[in-house]
Amino acid sequence: MRFSGRLRSALIIGVQGIRARKTRTLLSMVSLFLGVLAVVVVQAGASIAERAMLVDSELYEGYDGTTVMEMGGGSAKIGPIVVDTLAGRTDAVALTGMSAIIGEPGVRPVNEGAAPLDGSWGDSGGGPQMTCDNNGCYEVPASEQAPNGQAVEIRLTALTGDVRQFRPYHPRSGQWLDFTTVPSLAPRLVLNQAAADGFAKYRVPAEMRIAGSTANLTPQFIGVVDDADQQPRAYVRMDELTHWVPASKLVDPNYSDVRILMTTPTPVEQVLTSKLKAINIEPHVRVIDTRTQMEDQLALMRLVFLAMAGLVLLIGVAGILNVGLATVGERVEEFALRRAVGTPRALLAGIVLAETLITGLLTAALAIAASAAALKVVVQVAGGSQPFLQGVEFPWDAGVAGVIAGLVAGVLGGAIPAIRAAGIPIATVMRA
């Protein structure tokens, strides 16, 4: 009870001291504000950077915990096995990639090999035309090469189901593939942003040709998504593609791009593995764990920035220390008089510490509020163009870090003035 009474007295007198010296308190808060703000911003920035790194990885790989099965080889039996095994399944989705050319028939595309249309891979035209099969890759003779024309080559990814349960593709316009409707004879395509920009730049006929198809197709563009891929790519329902491309032709020998995304656990993994091994295909199975893989990198990044924020915080602590020493120097007679009437030394030290701690907490509250408001403005302004900012809220751990930084600064900045106040002799009262 005695300790509780002294604590209450220290807090009351500390608040009275702050109210009596508003200018000095403001100076202390200004010097400390930047330090606490730096700690809060670093902590919040580290959380947002972690989210940004995970978002990119989720677009390329998938959510953490997703089981991924990959396989090599261009066997014609892979396609039918995958289609039959995953028919009607919602716990697994197959992605098979192949090349498709949309535009004038019988011409060479402007971006051979589905190169990015922004030129980030260099000049994609004019080089030797290559082709690959199960026996290897070779150059197409000049006499057999098609003339240049108005056509765009894309990577076409066929899906057995809605892949968004495993990869968070961000819609840009239109709609996503609807797997609940009857398959259309005119395949519906969802373009990625790179492909959409390419077709906006090059006006080409709506005719699509795929190696192994029974006839050229007339695609329908129904939407655009952001998949973080530089290559022009389109997504199509596999059951719509198999109207024109036999299941045995779904695996492109040029790329061998087959991937199965599954929940964990699922019987699909065991069934598929058995069927693939029966045709001498050894699948590679792994579980996505991006957060653990990036843990060391994120920890190092956070440590470096926290060290920089700590230096700024020390400047704020020095400001509180200077103001606190000056304040104690002005209040020597007051503290001596309190000692003369029986005030314990610990209570005098507590009064000074209470002032600096309250100042630190007020500064932390202002820094946290400023950071939260700034983050909200950034999300509203840039959230539409930056997927990792969509739905971002102020991280609670940044607020906790700000409060801790304010308390630590209050203790460090008030410790020496508190010791000096507690050491003032009673005889000093005679100067008053």
Side-chain angles (χ1 to χ4, degrees):
M1 293 179 63
R2 179 181 298 177
F3 176 78
S4 176
R6 290 181 179 180
L7 178 61
R8 184 168 57 251
S9 300
L11 289 175
I12 293 173
I13 299 173
V15 172
Q16 291 174 345
I18 291 175
R19 293 177 61 184
R21 284 168 288 277
K22 297 183 180 66
T23 303
R24 287 188 181 273
T25 301
L26 181 61
L27 290 175
S28 299
M29 293 178 67
V30 169
S31 63
L32 183 59
F33 179 79
L34 293 178
V36 177
L37 182 65
V39 173
V40 174
V41 169
V42 166
Q43 190 69 22
S47 299
I48 295 174
E50 178 180 354
R51 178 184 173 89
M53 296 172 68
L54 289 176
V55 164
D56 288 341
S57 176
E58 287 168 355
L59 288 174
Y60 281 115
E61 294 284 340
Y63 290 116
D64 274 11
T66 300
T67 299
V68 181
M69 177 182 291
E70 298 169 313
M71 61 206 73
S75 173
K77 297 179 180 179
I78 294 179
I81 289 176
V82 170
V83 172
D84 293 342
T85 305
L86 298 184
R89 304 289 309 196
T90 59
D91 55 351
V93 174
L95 300 86
T96 62
M98 62 197 70
S99 176
I101 299 175
I102 300 178
E104 296 176 344
V107 300
R108 192 174 180 182
V110 296
N111 64 325
E112 197 165 33
L117 292 158
D118 59 4
S120 58
W121 285 9
D123 186 6
S124 58
Q129 187 174 359
M130 306 293 293
T131 188
C132 300
D133 54 25
N134 292 332
N135 298 320
C137 297
Y138 54 91
E139 182 178 345
V140 178
S143 59
E144 299 179 11
Q145 292 186 15
N148 295 329
Q150 287 296 105
V152 174
E153 184 171 351
I154 62 173
R155 291 294 298 158
L156 186 64
T157 300
L159 306 172
T160 60
D162 193 346
V163 74
R164 292 177 301 172
Q165 61 178 308
F166 301 109
R167 291 181 178 177
Y169 292 150
H170 306 291
R172 285 289 179 259
S173 62
Q175 59 186 6
W176 180 249
L177 300 172
D178 186 358
F179 290 86
T180 63
T181 60
V182 177
S184 172
L185 290 176
R188 289 164 289 191
L189 304 185
V190 174
L191 307 177
N192 71 350
Q193 192 63 55
D197 293 342
F199 286 115
K201 181 178 180 181
Y202 298 97
R203 299 295 181 177
V204 299
E207 183 172 343
M208 182 169 67
R209 58 186 186 273
I210 304 172
S213 63
T214 56
N216 287 353
L217 295 69
T218 303
Q220 306 176 65
F221 295 165
I222 64 171
V224 178
V225 296
D226 180 13
D227 62 358
D229 193 350
Q230 290 182 315
Q231 280 189 284
R233 184 178 295 273
Y235 300 90
V236 63
R237 285 173 53 171
M238 189 173 292
D239 53 1
E240 292 184 351
L241 189 61
T242 51
H243 284 150
W244 306 95
V245 181
S248 60
K249 300 290 186 180
L250 289 175
V251 179
D252 189 344
N254 293 338
Y255 298 96
S256 299
D257 186 4
V258 182
R259 181 173 295 186
I260 317 296
L261 303 181
M262 301 171 283
T263 59
T264 306
T266 174
V268 173
E269 178 183 345
Q270 184 176 358
V271 173
L272 263 180
T273 300
S274 301
K275 290 182 177 180
L276 292 172
K277 287 184 176 180
I279 59 172
N280 296 321
I281 300 293
E282 187 68 33
H284 173 64
V285 180
R286 58 188 174 87
V287 177
I288 299 174
D289 192 9
T290 307
R291 189 181 297 273
T292 300
Q293 296 172 359
M294 293 182 175
E295 195 171 289
D296 293 340
Q297 181 181 354
L298 291 170
L300 178 61
M301 178 184 66
R302 184 170 301 188
L303 182 62
V304 170
F305 283 103
L306 278 177
M308 297 172 62
L311 293 176
V312 180
L313 184 63
L314 285 177
I315 297 175
V317 170
I320 288 184
L321 177 61
N322 288 333
V323 173
L325 289 175
T327 301
V328 170
E330 291 180 355
R331 301 173 66 183
V332 168
E333 289 80 6
E334 174 194 344
F335 290 143
L337 182 59
R338 290 183 181 276
R339 284 282 296 117
V341 297
T343 302
R345 295 180 184 272
L347 181 55
L348 293 179
I351 292 172
V352 177
L353 273 179
E355 291 185 15
T356 57
L357 285 174
I358 292 173
T359 301
L361 286 176
L362 289 175
T363 306
L366 290 175
I368 293 169
S371 301
L375 179 61
K376 187 174 182 179
V377 172
V378 170
V379 170
Q380 291 178 346
V381 172
S385 59
Q386 299 295 333
F388 69 90
L389 288 177
Q390 296 177 2
V392 170
E393 296 182 356
F394 187 75
W396 65 269
D397 54 343
V400 173
V403 172
I404 294 175
L407 290 174
V408 170
V411 171
L412 294 179
I416 294 178
I419 294 173
R420 179 167 295 184
I424 295 175
I426 298 177
T428 310
V429 76
M430 301 303 297
R431 301 176 186 174

